[in-house]
Amino acid sequence: MRADCHFPVTIAVCSDIAIGKEVNNPKPIIGENVIFTITASNIGTTSFHNVSISEMLPSGYQYVIATVSSGDYNSINGVWNISDIAAGATEKLMLTAKVMGIGDYLNIAYLSASTPTDYNPDNNRAEATVVPVGVIIYNAVSANGDGLNDYFKIEGLEHYPDNTVEIYNRWGAKIYETKSYGLNNNVFRGISNGKLTIKKEKQVPVGTYFYILRYKSNEGSRIEKSGYLYVN
């Protein structure tokens, strides 16, 4: 009679690429540049060839510039191509992007192709994100329907729905006020909302006005910004 014997077998992974990612500033001001650092490390014992890493910026960023230690990065399709990564080597992509007021901020990089194939998927993906702070105020309104500066734009204010906006003319008369500015198309398009000097729902005269924006930050503090607004 023959007895079957079973012995544990350890399989060594000879080909393995690990993807890493970090961002230099996790809480940037809207409109500020951040730098994502993406690494591709060959932690196996054999060289890799024809490596492709997907690194497409999501809608919350605007591409500025990229530098690579090896290969090339295509900002159109978001692919970083590397011809060779030797065993034990690490290649790096530094991607600079402008933080927009709205959009998706979760930035994901992943290994999409390589020769030989990497059969360990556990470290083939990395991500980094930011939480934008602050707002950008555009101080011109051209309410002529051409799609450019048609309203008083405050980029990033949708992150702070607890807000108020007041607008005054040069004599100090309030011609517009609202709460939750920017939500549900609640914006100033050069139209008075019914104060003493200008009739309700009438176009205000061309000229320079003064705005006061107040909003509550995510940390609970009250922030006030003011300045001039030109209506054409």
Side-chain angles (χ1 to χ4, degrees):
M1 180 180 293
R2 186 183 66 183
D4 291 332
C5 297
H6 301 279
F7 299 96
V9 176
T10 301
I11 299 175
V13 177
C14 297
S15 303
D16 193 5
I17 291 180
I19 304 299
K21 174 181 283 192
E22 61 183 24
V23 63
N24 68 323
N25 183 5
K27 291 188 176 181
I29 297 171
I30 292 172
E32 189 176 21
N33 287 350
V34 295
I35 301 174
F36 291 100
T37 301
I38 301 93
T39 55
S41 300
N42 183 350
I43 59 177
T45 58
T46 60
S47 295
F48 276 90
H49 311 285
N50 304 317
V51 177
S52 292
I53 297 168
S54 178
E55 168 49 48
M56 175 62 77
L57 284 171
S59 60
Y61 306 97
Q62 179 180 318
Y63 172 78
V64 177
I65 195 171
T67 59
V68 295
S69 61
S70 179
D72 59 85
Y73 174 74
N74 188 322
S75 62
I76 304 300
N77 61 18
V79 175
W80 176 24
N81 288 311
I82 310 169
S83 59
D84 298 283
I85 306 180
T90 295
E91 302 299 344
K92 184 182 297 184
L93 162 65
M94 298 187 71
L95 185 58
T96 302
K98 178 181 177 181
V99 179
M100 309 304 289
I102 58 175
D104 178 10
Y105 301 105
L106 179 60
N107 189 4
I108 300 171
Y110 61 90
L111 179 67
S112 57
S114 67
T115 303
T117 300
D118 184 345
Y119 289 106
N120 178 22
D122 294 341
N123 56 9
N124 289 166
R125 181 182 184 279
E127 61 185 45
T129 190
V130 303
V131 179
V133 297
V135 298
I136 297 178
I137 301 172
Y138 298 84
N139 60 349
V141 175
S142 178
N144 55 10
D146 64 356
L148 300 174
N149 302 317
D150 284 343
Y151 65 93
F152 179 33
K153 183 177 180 180
I154 306 177
E155 190 173 353
L157 194 58
E158 61 275 5
H159 300 299
Y160 311 100
D162 185 2
N163 69 70
T164 61
V165 169
E166 300 172 4
I167 299 176
Y168 298 83
N169 66 15
R170 59 180 178 174
W171 295 284
K174 187 186 295 181
I175 57 97
Y176 180 88
E177 66 176 336
T178 191
K179 296 180 180 179
S180 300
Y181 187 86
L183 298 181
N184 300 318
N185 205 32
N186 177 28
V187 293
F188 175 65
R189 298 180 180 275
I191 305 294
S192 170
N193 63 359
K195 300 305 159 188
L196 294 178
T197 57
I198 300 177
K199 293 182 180 180
K200 185 178 181 180
E201 298 183 355
K202 293 294 184 180
Q203 184 76 41
V204 301
V206 171
T208 301
Y209 294 80
F210 182 79
Y211 69 83
I212 300 176
L213 164 65
R214 299 181 178 94
Y215 64 93
K216 185 178 180 180
S217 73
N218 294 330
E219 290 74 28
S221 61
R222 304 298 302 188
I223 299 173
E224 179 175 310
K225 293 181 179 291
S226 60
Y228 291 98
L229 172 66
Y230 182 73
V231 178
N232 183 9

